Amino acid sequence: METDLPSGGVYETLPAPLYTDPAVFAEERNRIFRRSWHLAGHVSDLAAPGAYFTADIVGSSVLVIRGADDVLRAFFNVCVHRGHELAEGAGCAKRLTCPYHAWTYDTTGQLRAAPNARGFPGFDTSAYRLKPVRLEVYHGLILVNLDADAAPFWPGAEEASAEIAIYAPNLATYVHAARTERMAAANWKVVAENLNECYHCAVVHKTLTTGVVDPDLYRTRDRSWGIRHESPARPDGTKSYSYVADPAARTDRFLTWWFWPFFAIQVYPGGIVNTYRWRPVSVDQTKVEVDWWLPRAQPNAVEAEIILQHRTTTFAEDAPIVDSVQRGLASGGFDRGPLVVESACGSQSEHPILAFQRHYAAAMMAGSAEATVTAA
């Protein structure tokens, strides 16, 4: 659902301490990070029964596994006995055995064996299971949420899902082909705000705005699930890589669906798909990962061309920007700044930052209300 567009005018940024205060970051961890849906991987990572991987989800290790029954499940990667982590990295196993005391679980999380179990009066293995983590699959992407009571992801993102089905119809069958990553020396909100506004695009991203998107027609719109980006592709005479724009196949546009708060799906002209994922590490550190999902693990010439172009231009160009903003916010010389919004909400407008602020305020208020109820 689209929210109302803001009126043109001058608004304000969030105050600098929200980006620099470790106490705020700790509050966000409880109110936002541990209650949000996170991109953990792709179904192609778990092709066979027993295949698993572990993922750090805002400081909690989560184990995702395809069961012997072919069902995908997620658990806290913690043995219920004494809290030792069960697994590291990725692998394939019929059973999961804790390296500490050899308690052994099946792929549904049920405890099946423990050394000397018969020697412990009243010990019943059926009473112990790994603690589950919420899991949903969205167009082949594996999403997890540490909050057992969180609202389902899918119903809130139906509009985006319908578009993804058109512009990235085979994402669920794609495989991982490449990754670009860096540790940004910036708060996660600085990184997210930078992705979502294109006011800076013509200044910073010359290759993107001359050879991929049309900055005059680039549009961002607030949605209940996040922010939607759209631009027509550049015509053949000016495009910066060798894709075939096929309007009949709906591959003649650049689209981004940013899902509050930590991941996005992008489709580049030519139907080439990537995902963005942000991992908040500390108040001034955010891991940024861009993964490319393609029909084959080995990119063809055109796919390799845009992956390299993105890595060396757009991705590389954003790095010093967000790091510099973080230094400025922490300098003591900045508190709040003006946000300029035009009535038409075109690309030279900072209305996406207002949209981000709306999502942020709603999440922090909801977390505060739930905390109050819990305390009561």
Side-chain angles (χ1 to χ4, degrees):
M1 171 182 280
E2 183 172 355
T3 58
D4 293 336
L5 293 175
S7 300
V10 180
Y11 297 80
E12 282 190 315
T13 65
L14 295 174
L18 291 187
Y19 301 85
T20 61
D21 187 343
V24 172
F25 184 81
E27 191 174 7
E28 292 170 345
R29 179 183 293 277
N30 293 325
R31 297 189 182 186
I32 297 177
F33 304 171
R34 298 184 66 85
R35 292 189 168 108
S36 298
W37 288 96
H38 298 260
L39 174 59
H42 188 275
V43 293
S44 61
D45 298 327
L46 303 173
Y52 68 85
F53 64 78
T54 61
D56 180 274
I57 304 297
V58 293
S60 292
S61 182
V62 172
L63 185 147
V64 184
I65 189 167
R66 184 177 291 278
D69 56 1
D70 209 37
V71 175
L72 291 176
R73 297 180 178 89
F75 305 99
F76 284 94
N77 183 27
V78 177
C79 179
V80 302
H81 174 218
R82 295 275 294 282
H84 196 285
E85 292 176 328
L86 281 174
E88 295 181 355
C92 190
K94 293 182 179 180
R95 296 201 169 187
L96 299 164
T97 300
C98 178
Y100 194 8
H101 296 97
W103 282 36
T104 299
Y105 305 83
D106 66 20
T107 58
T108 72
Q110 177 64 54
L111 179 66
R112 291 301 180 188
N116 198 32
R118 293 181 180 179
F120 308 135
F123 182 78
D124 180 6
T125 56
S126 68
Y128 300 96
R129 296 183 59 85
L130 299 179
K131 186 176 180 180
V133 171
R134 292 279 299 281
L135 180 149
E136 290 189 22
V137 176
Y138 187 71
H139 295 278
L141 301 175
I142 298 173
L143 311 180
V144 298
N145 195 317
L146 301 179
D147 182 3
D149 298 320
F153 179 84
W154 181 276
E158 289 172 338
E159 177 204 19
S161 181
E163 287 192 316
I164 294 167
I166 294 171
Y167 288 95
N170 299 313
L171 177 55
T173 64
Y174 280 1
V175 296
H176 189 257
R179 169 175 288 184
T180 304
E181 63 183 28
R182 72 177 292 264
M183 184 67 77
N187 184 268
W188 69 275
K189 297 187 293 297
V190 172
V191 178
E193 289 174 343
N194 177 73
L195 176 109
N196 278 304
E197 57 92 348
C198 210
Y199 188 25
H200 73 286
C201 289
V203 179
V204 178
H205 301 311
K206 303 296 187 184
T207 299
L208 179 72
T209 53
T210 59
V212 181
V213 303
D214 185 336
D216 295 328
L217 297 177
Y218 196 102
R219 295 292 180 266
T220 53
R221 293 293 181 263
D222 190 13
R223 295 290 192 266
S224 59
W225 42 263
I227 298 175
R228 178 185 183 275
H229 301 229
E230 178 182 7
S231 172
R234 282 302 197 183
D236 286 347
T238 59
K239 66 187 183 184
S240 61
Y241 62 104
S242 309
Y243 67 90
V244 176
D246 181 0
R250 307 296 292 272
T251 61
D252 59 335
R253 310 192 77 71
F254 173 92
L255 288 157
T256 301
W257 302 270
W258 172 74
F259 297 100
W260 163 266
F262 293 131
F263 79 96
I265 301 173
Q266 279 190 338
V267 179
Y268 267 71
I272 303 170
V273 184
N274 72 40
T275 54
Y276 265 80
R277 172 167 48 184
W278 297 268
R279 299 179 183 271
V281 176
S282 67
V283 70
D284 57 3
Q285 285 189 306
T286 305
K287 183 74 174 295
V288 185
E289 299 170 344
V290 180
D291 291 296
W292 297 84
W293 306 96
L294 301 171
R296 299 158 302 278
Q298 183 62 44
N300 63 31
V302 174
E303 294 160 349
E305 186 181 7
I306 187 55
I307 291 169
L308 179 61
Q309 178 179 298
H310 175 270
R311 179 180 295 140
T312 57
T313 61
T314 307
F315 188 85
E317 290 157 356
D318 277 331
I321 298 298
V322 298
D323 293 0
S324 177
V325 168
Q326 186 68 29
R327 291 193 298 271
L329 292 169
S331 69
F334 181 94
D335 180 30
R336 287 177 179 261
L339 291 175
V340 289
V341 175
E342 63 179 21
S343 299
C345 290
S347 62
Q348 300 294 299
S349 171
E350 292 179 296
H351 61 280
I353 307 301
L354 294 181
F356 178 88
Q357 290 180 3
R358 183 183 71 81
H359 288 284
Y360 181 75
M364 291 294 279
M365 289 177 63
S368 177
E370 290 175 17
T372 302
V373 170
T374 301

